[in-house]
Amino acid sequence: MKMSKMYFHTLRENPSEAEIPSHILLLRAGMIRKLVSGIYGFMPMGFRVIRKIEQIVREEMDAKGAQEILMSAIQPAELWQESGRWYAYGPEMFRLKDRNERDFCLGPTHEEIFTDIIRSEISSHKQLPVNLYQIQTKYRDEKRPRFGLMRSREFIMKDAYSFDKDWEGLDKSYEDMYDAYSRIFTRCGLEFRAVEADTGAIGGSDSHEFTALSEVGEGVIAYCEQCDFAATTERAACVDEPFGENETELPLEEVFTPGKKTIDDVAEFLNIPKNKIIKTLLFKVEDEVVAVLIRGDRELNETKLINALGIPEHLLEFADENTVKEVTGADTGFAGPRRLIGVRVIIDSELPKMKNMTAGANITDYHLKNLNYGRDYEGDIIVDLKLMAEGYPCPKCHAEVKLARGIEVGQIFKLGTKYSVPMGAVYTDENMEEKIMVMGCYGIGVSRTMAAVIEQNHDDNGIIWPPSIAPYHVIVTIVNTRDQQQMELAETIYAELTKAGLEVLMDDRDERAGVKFKDADLIGIPVRITVGKKASEGKVEYKLRKESEIIELTTSEAMERAITFCFSSKM
Ligand code: 9G3
């Protein structure tokens, strides 16, 4: 492609609303353009990258026997009512009505749609397993879209759904997808980890998140360097670390703690460690009040709480001051587990083993010392509620856990019969008995992957695309387009490399060389061949975008290197 003909508009400055490198660079390089908050369009250079990623996805999905289809982005409410999910999602679901006032949504995901297709067309065990996938725009009305493609309201997702005869079949489908995902993200040049992820209220079944390591990632993963433990912090099981189990239970003691509302204030005022204090958090779930107890030196993992309560995320709210006053009889900051009326109490698993704890007395300005589980307070649910933190013991080998930030680029789930039961996706087995299909679902954020690759591959001058998904493999930069020799040599190089199977961009614009070099760095083309004064001697400059070194080579040497470099980087 000749840049003099290309629709290509860069920005000189960083756009004010962009905060992270991928968002800044995608806008400055003219690869995406914002329509409105959270909605982006892909311009020629950027769309080429999207199609490269999609191509890698297709190759690896097809290699596992998955078959590509394309469903509608608009979905009838009826199917979501059948699965029971129409009322499970709040404002993040884009809902709309057609001219006959029928309810629809813009698809945030397609479990219902794919299950509907399969249930009406599959009836025999002979037709299973099936794995169908699509690459399509999804819609989720994020409350705070930000970071460009990282958290947008419309995004390109590959979503696949597998249908098996039984759980054993699902295990195989899941394993195939796990392997396909590892290949896809490796080929995209991403540094990633597959980590155990939250399965939501489904519980029990498996889910893995493919996380691209990045400081700007919104996700945090926990991993162990001594064993293969790796999980999102939402999912990571934490080891109970009770202590003082053998202390004798001391008598309850009410202590005056004027204005001491926080764990830190109480610890300091009573001169006790934070891990001897019970943190009591009050929530509302619709019109029920729930008290959550966790050790004062730990953070609550709200995902574990939501799963323990078996509720959708948006139903969990912090109790407001009035509710706290009503339920505890005290101001906020003095809540405790003793004598809570009509409140469900959820307790972190390590607390019942601990003796002589301190907590709010449910009396303003008072706390209670020497609370002992069983004698002084009880719980309705006892479960691990701890949020994993750096240095906590690995749940598998007890070595110290490490945390890292990451970008979720893929997630795979064992759904089991969550959709096949309510929607009646059944088949007749070898004995002519009716059985329920067992499902899995598998998503890749295609547009988010593009952003994640930039987060991991950029410098101050711009993007550094891996050849596998670069918009072009080589850019041939002509220093002086009025010089006939330089133009001819550039044309020769362009033709030769194209014939060799490379995708070549020729910067034949009537621009100063400096501008051309800056643009070449900004858009991140892996190899730059500069044709300048030495064209008369058949010499060119060769530079890899990921290195600073510029070397002078003969034309054929430069072309050989470019071909070898691009093809060896597992295009
Ligand atoms: C909704 C809305 C947002 C959602 C969902 C439904 C996330 C929803 C989970 C999934 C699970 C998998 C197939 C591809 C891989 C992920 N956000 N999820 O179900 F109505 Cl508004 O999408 N689906």
Side-chain angles (χ1 to χ4, degrees), residues 151-220:
R151 179 166 291 281
S152 51
R153 296 193 288 168
E154 174 189 68
F155 53 97
I156 299 171
M157 182 199 271
K158 183 286 299 175
D159 49 324
Y161 304 84
S162 64
F163 299 83
D164 279 280
K165 294 188 290 192
D166 49 31
W167 281 87
E168 202 179 320
L170 169 58
D171 289 347
K172 173 70 172 67
S173 296
Y174 190 88
E175 195 186 307
D176 280 352
M177 288 293 98
Y178 188 104
D179 180 55
Y181 276 44
S182 301
R183 293 166 185 276
I184 287 163
F185 294 123
T186 302
R187 288 182 61 188
C188 288
L190 271 180
E191 188 195 350
F192 68 94
R193 278 179 185 260
V195 302
E196 288 167 52
D198 179 46
T199 57
I202 311 175
S205 44
D206 289 339
S207 170
H208 282 83
E209 212 170 87
F210 287 74
T211 300
L213 301 179
S214 160
E215 276 317 303
V216 303
E218 295 181 326
V220 182

Side-chain angles (χ1 to χ4, degrees), residues 324-438:
V324 172
K325 187 86 177 168
E326 220 174 278
V327 158
T328 66
D331 294 347
T332 304
F334 299 95
R338 187 152 170 74
R339 294 216 185 85
L340 275 176
I341 317 302
V343 172
R344 197 143 57 116
V345 181
I346 323 285
I347 303 184
D348 175 57
S349 46
E350 80 192 340
L351 282 184
K353 303 167 195 161
M354 296 186 71
K355 303 288 184 197
N356 304 323
M357 301 295 283
T358 295
N362 291 329
I363 302 165
T364 303
D365 290 338
Y366 282 87
H367 277 74
L368 285 176
K369 290 184 75 170
N370 305 327
L371 277 158
N372 287 284
Y373 185 78
R375 185 189 76 180
D376 307 318
Y377 69 102
E378 297 266 340
D380 300 299
I381 302 176
I382 314 290
V383 65
D384 168 24
L385 294 170
K386 296 179 270 310
L387 181 65
M388 179 61 89
E390 187 89 19
Y392 277 17
C394 165
K396 279 193 172 171
C397 76
H398 285 227
E400 288 203 355
V401 155
K402 298 255 184 278
L403 296 189
R405 301 199 72 83
I407 302 162
E408 177 199 334
V409 287
Q411 190 163 11
I412 61 179
F413 289 79
K414 287 183 182 171
L415 289 172
T417 59
K418 181 172 187 251
Y419 296 92
S420 39
V421 163
M423 298 184 73
V426 296
Y427 69 96
T428 48
D429 70 2
E430 298 81 350
N431 312 318
M432 293 310 286
E433 280 176 28
E434 183 174 273
K435 292 285 179 65
I436 299 279
M437 292 183 203
V438 181

Side-chain angles (χ1 to χ4, degrees), residues 80 85 89 92-93 108-109 111 140 159 161 413 441 443:
W80 286 72
R85 293 212 293 174
Y89 288 88
E92 75 175 302
M93 179 184 260
T109 182
E111 279 81 1
R140 294 177 186 176
D159 49 324
Y161 304 84
F413 289 79
C441 66

